Amino acid sequence: MTYTYRYPLGSKTYQFRDLAELMAKATPQRAGDRLAGVIALSAEERAVAQMTLAEVPLKTFLNEALVPYEQDEITRLIVDEHDAAAFAAIAHLTVGDFRNWLLSDHATPEVLQSVRAGITPEMAAAVSKIMRNQDLILVAKKCHVTTAFRSTIGLPGHLSTRLQPNHPTDDVNGIAASILDGLLYGNGDAVIGINPATDNVAQAIKLMQLMGEVIEKYQIPTQSCVLTHVTNTIECIEAGAPVDLVFQSIAGTEATNSSFGFNLATLAEAQEAALGLKRGTVGDNVMYFETGQGSALSANAHHGLDQQTCEARAYAVARKFKPLLVNTVVGFIGPEYLFDGKEITRAGLEDHFCGKLLGVPMGCDVCYTNHAEADQNDMDNLLTLLGVAGCSFVMGIPGSDDIMLNYQTTSFHDALYVRRVLGSRPAPEFEQWLTRMQILRDADQHILHDALPEPFARSLKALPGGRA
């Protein structure tokens, strides 16, 4: 279907050959879409595309697939599992009307929860393209998504952290020291998650055992995860390893996921295996997914779509498997896809909004690579905006510098900052543990103990790896 916009008095006409082109041209400027050749050629064309997109009925997205149904299992997932009854409340709206409705007082948290199964990723992506940053923040704040394993993630007024103790040689002493450092700064309630420098089953099991021993020794109400390939985790489970969460990077097209070495059946197998371990205490959300704008383009599997629409489609995959955690690693792929701090900020807010609108427990790795036109002030800005928007979790890394993956993200201190300035709290089970261990001296003000807490010191004997 061709979409046409005529200027007043018929002086100029813009035509968009199909919905995919209209969506791409309506997207706020970013490097990846320029690289893909789908970007609007001028600010005027972008504004025209946004005005045209605002007039498109939401029903159109159910009848015009951006990636062919016959070629893509993600499209089939989106179409086959669409909830027509949930959609009925918004079925009469255009994209522009949908924006207005989302911003209205009629769209309460309860109402948004009731319609989320009727919203497709493409609808979410479309409406985000005509929203300002403050719109994305306001609506995301109203979208409550709560999950649980040993701690409860996503409650209103709470902000959790992934303690990320990566080490360039997977040295257990270095990892253990980073875990201890993070815990003493009140980090780690979302997950203690390690990206292994050496990615194989034996090494994954070794790291799982390390984290499992720390969690068990100190009775920490959190969960661990080794961010290895999903098929490796399945082998770890079969070998009897203490697997809490199953990790996988996911994308929004079948071809991209195939390039990553998995499909939906693989994820279903892994989820079933992890559920069978019954290691959760307050919930059974056992999956952890990471995404990022540009992954489909980098795999040459984007089907001519803009990168943000591909990203939103990844949330359909996430939603299917009821994860504990999902986060967009927003600036990690590099400036070829998100060039500078402004583009990274916009993408982070879009991803968070679309994920939460679709019912995904959305966090963000607020990050950039060293060759991007960005710095820690840009990350401070995005972190603060996401905190205001009700982000479920962010990363906690020693000094903001991941010495294994070589990128810049948020530190243990940054999490303390945003909790303090916004009055956010850790997951309730984890906060009780921090108070019991006297790591938090004043929980209401998020004030840490000014020395090694006595209850912690008494139990702090040889950590796994031999370092006290």
Side-chain angles (χ1 to χ4, degrees), residues 177-189:
S178 292
I179 292 174
L180 174 60
D181 191 28
L183 292 172
L184 292 175
Y185 278 105
N187 279 239
D189 52 332

Side-chain angles (χ1 to χ4, degrees), residues 94-104 127 130-131 135:
T94 65
V95 172
D97 294 331
F98 188 37
R99 171 191 176 272
N100 295 338
W101 180 81
L102 288 170
L103 292 168
S104 75
V127 74
I130 63 170
M131 297 173 81
D135 299 339

Side-chain angles (χ1 to χ4, degrees), residues 157-224:
H158 293 256
L159 176 67
S160 296
T161 60
R162 169 188 162 190
L163 201 170
Q164 186 170 313
N166 294 346
H167 192 279
T169 64
D170 286 339
D171 178 74
V172 292
N173 291 332
I175 290 171
S178 292
I179 292 174
L180 174 60
D181 191 28
L183 292 172
L184 292 175
Y185 278 105
N187 279 239
D189 52 332
V191 65
I192 302 174
I194 302 175
N195 297 89
T198 303
D199 194 3
N200 56 54
V201 173
Q203 186 67 8
I205 292 174
K206 180 180 178 181
L207 296 175
M208 290 170 184
Q209 290 172 340
L210 165 66
M211 291 185 289
E213 288 176 27
V214 171
I215 289 171
E216 183 177 356
K217 178 180 178 63
Y218 300 111
Q219 294 296 295
I220 308 170
T222 190
Q223 35 283 326
S224 68

Side-chain angles (χ1 to χ4, degrees), residues 190-273:
V191 65
I192 302 174
I194 302 175
N195 297 89
T198 303
D199 194 3
N200 56 54
V201 173
Q203 186 67 8
I205 292 174
K206 180 180 178 181
L207 296 175
M208 290 170 184
Q209 290 172 340
L210 165 66
M211 291 185 289
E213 288 176 27
V214 171
I215 289 171
E216 183 177 356
K217 178 180 178 63
Y218 300 111
Q219 294 296 295
I220 308 170
T222 190
Q223 35 283 326
S224 68
C225 184
V226 175
L227 281 69
T228 186
H229 193 271
V230 60
T231 54
N232 285 347
T233 305
I234 292 172
E235 289 190 47
C236 292
I237 293 173
E238 292 172 346
V243 173
D244 289 342
L245 304 184
V246 175
F247 171 79
Q248 183 56 46
S249 294
I250 60 173
T253 69
E254 179 181 349
T256 311
N257 290 333
S258 294
S259 75
F260 291 169
F262 77 94
N263 56 25
L264 297 181
T266 316
L267 297 181
E269 178 186 356
Q271 182 188 37
E272 182 180 4

Side-chain angles (χ1 to χ4, degrees), residues 277-425:
L277 299 178
K278 300 185 185 300
R279 291 176 58 84
T281 55
V282 295
D284 62 358
N285 299 113
V286 296
M287 306 299 281
Y288 174 21
F289 298 126
E290 285 188 345
T291 68
Q293 288 194 26
S295 59
L297 175 58
S298 68
N300 195 27
H302 61 296
H303 294 271
L305 302 183
D306 66 273
Q307 64 184 34
Q308 191 257 334
T309 298
C310 285
E311 170 72 7
R313 285 169 53 92
Y315 306 149
V317 178
R319 183 166 62 177
K320 167 70 174 176
F321 294 100
K322 299 179 175 60
L324 178 75
L325 308 167
V326 178
N327 70 271
T328 169
V329 192
V330 66
F332 183 74
I333 302 181
E336 299 84 0
Y337 303 93
L338 296 170
F339 179 72
D340 57 16
K342 182 175 182 179
E343 291 188 8
I344 292 170
T345 297
R346 175 69 191 187
L349 294 176
E350 288 170 347
D351 296 350
H352 180 253
F353 160 82
C354 287
K356 293 294 277 294
L357 186 63
L358 292 166
V360 172
M362 205 70 195
C364 184
D365 191 342
V366 180
C367 64
Y368 64 101
T369 56
N370 288 318
H371 60 308
E373 292 295 320
D375 59 26
Q376 286 301 138
N377 286 326
D378 295 310
M379 300 306 101
D380 287 348
N381 294 342
L382 179 53
L383 173 64
T384 305
L385 294 173
L386 287 169
V388 173
C391 188
S392 292
F393 72 105
V394 295
M395 305 300 117
I397 292 178
S400 302
D401 183 9
D402 191 305
I403 58 175
M404 193 278 281
L405 292 174
N406 291 314
Y407 78 116
Q408 308 300 312
T409 181
T410 48
S411 71
F412 302 146
H413 305 76
D414 294 333
L416 290 178
Y417 146 74
V418 77
R419 281 174 177 167
R420 187 169 297 180
V421 77
L422 297 177
S424 302
R425 310 179 78 96

